[in-house]
mmCIF file of all heavy atoms in Angstrom:
data_model
loop_
_atom_site.group_PDB
_atom_site.id
_atom_site.type_symbol
_atom_site.label_atom_id
_atom_site.label_comp_id
_atom_site.label_asym_id
_atom_site.label_seq_id
_atom_site.Cartn_x
_atom_site.Cartn_y
_atom_site.Cartn_z
ATOM 1 N N SER A 2 -11.833 -200.490 -154.797
ATOM 2 C CA SER A 2 -12.902 -199.620 -155.290
ATOM 3 C C SER A 2 -12.545 -199.135 -156.704
ATOM 4 O O SER A 2 -11.364 -199.030 -157.059
ATOM 5 C CB SER A 2 -13.117 -198.444 -154.347
ATOM 6 O OG SER A 2 -11.927 -197.712 -154.272
ATOM 7 N N VAL A 3 -13.569 -198.889 -157.476
ATOM 8 C CA VAL A 3 -13.324 -198.505 -158.861
ATOM 9 C C VAL A 3 -14.350 -197.459 -159.299
ATOM 10 O O VAL A 3 -15.512 -197.502 -158.881
ATOM 11 C CB VAL A 3 -13.323 -199.755 -159.795
ATOM 12 C CG1 VAL A 3 -14.489 -200.653 -159.522
ATOM 13 C CG2 VAL A 3 -13.257 -199.396 -161.245
ATOM 14 N N ALA A 25 -36.167 -212.057 -156.802
ATOM 15 C CA ALA A 25 -36.372 -213.482 -156.483
ATOM 16 C C ALA A 25 -35.320 -213.966 -155.488
ATOM 17 O O ALA A 25 -35.616 -214.766 -154.586
ATOM 18 C CB ALA A 25 -36.312 -214.312 -157.763
ATOM 19 N N GLU A 32 -33.157 -211.385 -145.949
ATOM 20 C CA GLU A 32 -32.582 -210.050 -145.788
ATOM 21 C C GLU A 32 -31.058 -210.045 -145.818
ATOM 22 O O GLU A 32 -30.429 -209.008 -145.990
ATOM 23 C CB GLU A 32 -33.101 -209.400 -144.507
ATOM 24 C CG GLU A 32 -34.599 -209.127 -144.544
ATOM 25 C CD GLU A 32 -35.031 -208.395 -145.822
ATOM 26 O OE1 GLU A 32 -34.436 -207.363 -146.172
ATOM 27 O OE2 GLU A 32 -35.974 -208.884 -146.497
ATOM 28 N N ALA A 64 -24.606 -227.513 -172.751
ATOM 29 C CA ALA A 64 -23.568 -227.867 -173.723
ATOM 30 C C ALA A 64 -22.295 -228.225 -172.962
ATOM 31 O O ALA A 64 -22.214 -228.030 -171.747
ATOM 32 C CB ALA A 64 -23.309 -226.671 -174.639
ATOM 33 N N ILE A 69 -26.651 -223.259 -173.537
ATOM 34 C CA ILE A 69 -27.289 -222.520 -174.633
ATOM 35 C C ILE A 69 -28.670 -222.099 -174.139
ATOM 36 O O ILE A 69 -29.453 -222.954 -173.692
ATOM 37 C CB ILE A 69 -27.438 -223.376 -175.910
ATOM 38 C CG1 ILE A 69 -26.075 -223.936 -176.354
ATOM 39 C CG2 ILE A 69 -28.038 -222.544 -177.033
ATOM 40 C CD1 ILE A 69 -26.178 -224.863 -177.572
ATOM 41 N N ILE A 72 -34.020 -217.875 -174.234
ATOM 42 C CA ILE A 72 -35.034 -217.348 -173.316
ATOM 43 C C ILE A 72 -35.956 -216.372 -174.050
ATOM 44 O O ILE A 72 -37.177 -216.435 -173.909
ATOM 45 C CB ILE A 72 -34.351 -216.656 -172.107
ATOM 46 C CG1 ILE A 72 -33.336 -217.602 -171.433
ATOM 47 C CG2 ILE A 72 -35.390 -216.181 -171.116
ATOM 48 C CD1 ILE A 72 -33.908 -218.797 -170.741
ATOM 49 N N PRO A 75 -38.157 -212.567 -171.871
ATOM 50 C CA PRO A 75 -39.453 -212.387 -171.206
ATOM 51 C C PRO A 75 -39.314 -211.303 -170.143
ATOM 52 O O PRO A 75 -38.318 -211.261 -169.422
ATOM 53 C CB PRO A 75 -39.706 -213.757 -170.557
ATOM 54 C CG PRO A 75 -38.356 -214.356 -170.373
ATOM 55 C CD PRO A 75 -37.500 -213.827 -171.495
ATOM 56 N N LEU A 79 -41.915 -202.113 -169.666
ATOM 57 C CA LEU A 79 -41.393 -200.918 -168.997
ATOM 58 C C LEU A 79 -42.296 -200.419 -167.864
ATOM 59 O O LEU A 79 -41.840 -200.157 -166.756
ATOM 60 C CB LEU A 79 -41.202 -199.808 -170.046
ATOM 61 C CG LEU A 79 -40.742 -198.462 -169.511
ATOM 62 C CD1 LEU A 79 -39.305 -198.560 -169.015
ATOM 63 C CD2 LEU A 79 -40.856 -197.387 -170.584
ATOM 64 N N LEU A 108 -27.921 -199.076 -159.372
ATOM 65 C CA LEU A 108 -28.755 -199.886 -160.267
ATOM 66 C C LEU A 108 -28.525 -199.484 -161.723
ATOM 67 O O LEU A 108 -28.637 -198.305 -162.083
ATOM 68 C CB LEU A 108 -30.234 -199.684 -159.912
ATOM 69 C CG LEU A 108 -31.257 -200.270 -160.888
ATOM 70 C CD1 LEU A 108 -31.155 -201.805 -160.956
ATOM 71 C CD2 LEU A 108 -32.671 -199.851 -160.491
ATOM 72 N N ALA A 126 -37.757 -192.767 -170.354
ATOM 73 C CA ALA A 126 -38.464 -193.194 -169.126
ATOM 74 C C ALA A 126 -37.463 -193.509 -168.016
ATOM 75 O O ALA A 126 -37.686 -193.165 -166.851
ATOM 76 C CB ALA A 126 -39.332 -194.412 -169.429
ATOM 77 N N THR A 147 -34.390 -208.539 -184.054
ATOM 78 C CA THR A 147 -34.081 -207.118 -184.195
ATOM 79 C C THR A 147 -32.921 -206.686 -183.304
ATOM 80 O O THR A 147 -32.098 -205.877 -183.700
ATOM 81 C CB THR A 147 -35.306 -206.280 -183.826
ATOM 82 O OG1 THR A 147 -35.887 -206.856 -182.668
ATOM 83 C CG2 THR A 147 -36.301 -206.260 -184.943
ATOM 84 N N LEU A 162 -27.810 -195.013 -182.204
ATOM 85 C CA LEU A 162 -27.336 -194.357 -180.981
ATOM 86 C C LEU A 162 -27.409 -192.842 -181.100
ATOM 87 O O LEU A 162 -27.800 -192.150 -180.153
ATOM 88 C CB LEU A 162 -25.904 -194.798 -180.659
ATOM 89 C CG LEU A 162 -25.762 -196.217 -180.095
ATOM 90 C CD1 LEU A 162 -24.295 -196.577 -179.894
ATOM 91 C CD2 LEU A 162 -26.518 -196.359 -178.780
ATOM 92 N N SER A 200 -20.119 -202.986 -173.090
ATOM 93 C CA SER A 200 -20.003 -204.245 -172.356
ATOM 94 C C SER A 200 -20.038 -205.380 -173.374
ATOM 95 O O SER A 200 -20.728 -205.305 -174.391
ATOM 96 C CB SER A 200 -21.116 -204.381 -171.316
ATOM 97 O OG SER A 200 -22.389 -204.226 -171.906
ATOM 98 N N ALA A 245 -9.563 -206.909 -178.034
ATOM 99 C CA ALA A 245 -9.681 -206.174 -179.310
ATOM 100 C C ALA A 245 -10.436 -204.862 -179.107
ATOM 101 O O ALA A 245 -10.047 -203.820 -179.661
ATOM 102 C CB ALA A 245 -10.402 -207.050 -180.340
ATOM 103 N N ALA A 251 -11.613 -195.559 -176.057
ATOM 104 C CA ALA A 251 -11.091 -194.880 -174.862
ATOM 105 C C ALA A 251 -12.083 -194.990 -173.705
ATOM 106 O O ALA A 251 -11.726 -194.730 -172.557
ATOM 107 C CB ALA A 251 -10.832 -193.417 -175.193
ATOM 108 N N GLY A 258 -17.887 -213.190 -169.917
ATOM 109 C CA GLY A 258 -17.902 -214.372 -170.772
ATOM 110 C C GLY A 258 -17.157 -215.508 -170.082
ATOM 111 O O GLY A 258 -15.930 -215.561 -170.108
ATOM 112 N N ALA A 263 -11.506 -215.568 -159.809
ATOM 113 C CA ALA A 263 -10.792 -214.293 -159.890
ATOM 114 C C ALA A 263 -9.719 -214.304 -160.970
ATOM 115 O O ALA A 263 -9.409 -213.259 -161.555
ATOM 116 C CB ALA A 263 -10.161 -213.965 -158.540
ATOM 117 N N GLN A 267 -9.381 -211.452 -163.555
ATOM 118 C CA GLN A 267 -8.123 -210.710 -163.681
ATOM 119 C C GLN A 267 -7.644 -210.700 -165.131
ATOM 120 O O GLN A 267 -7.116 -209.703 -165.623
ATOM 121 C CB GLN A 267 -7.063 -211.331 -162.767
ATOM 122 C CG GLN A 267 -5.783 -210.531 -162.682
ATOM 123 C CD GLN A 267 -5.982 -209.156 -162.036
ATOM 124 O OE1 GLN A 267 -6.477 -209.070 -160.917
ATOM 125 N NE2 GLN A 267 -5.617 -208.092 -162.745
ATOM 126 N N ARG A 292 -17.394 -213.699 -153.857
ATOM 127 C CA ARG A 292 -16.222 -214.593 -153.799
ATOM 128 C C ARG A 292 -15.128 -214.103 -154.746
ATOM 129 O O ARG A 292 -13.951 -214.008 -154.376
ATOM 130 C CB ARG A 292 -16.639 -216.034 -154.167
ATOM 131 C CG ARG A 292 -15.435 -216.960 -154.398
ATOM 132 C CD ARG A 292 -15.807 -218.422 -154.522
ATOM 133 N NE ARG A 292 -16.659 -218.782 -155.643
ATOM 134 C CZ ARG A 292 -16.230 -218.934 -156.900
ATOM 135 N NH1 ARG A 292 -14.972 -218.699 -157.223
ATOM 136 N NH2 ARG A 292 -17.082 -219.296 -157.857
ATOM 137 N N ALA A 294 -14.693 -211.083 -155.974
ATOM 138 C CA ALA A 294 -14.147 -209.797 -155.511
ATOM 139 C C ALA A 294 -13.117 -210.038 -154.409
ATOM 140 O O ALA A 294 -12.042 -209.416 -154.390
ATOM 141 C CB ALA A 294 -15.277 -208.896 -155.008
ATOM 142 N N ILE A 300 -5.312 -211.449 -155.050
ATOM 143 C CA ILE A 300 -4.370 -211.420 -156.192
ATOM 144 C C ILE A 300 -3.658 -210.069 -156.240
ATOM 145 O O ILE A 300 -2.436 -209.983 -156.398
ATOM 146 C CB ILE A 300 -5.118 -211.669 -157.523
ATOM 147 C CG1 ILE A 300 -5.607 -213.109 -157.602
ATOM 148 C CG2 ILE A 300 -4.218 -211.353 -158.714
ATOM 149 C CD1 ILE A 300 -6.426 -213.429 -158.849
#
Side-chain angles (χ1 to χ4, degrees):
S2 60
V3 47
E32 295 310 309
I69 304 177
I72 307 293
L79 176 69
L108 170 64
T147 42
L162 286 177
S200 54
Q267 188 65 56
R292 169 170 63 79
I300 291 177

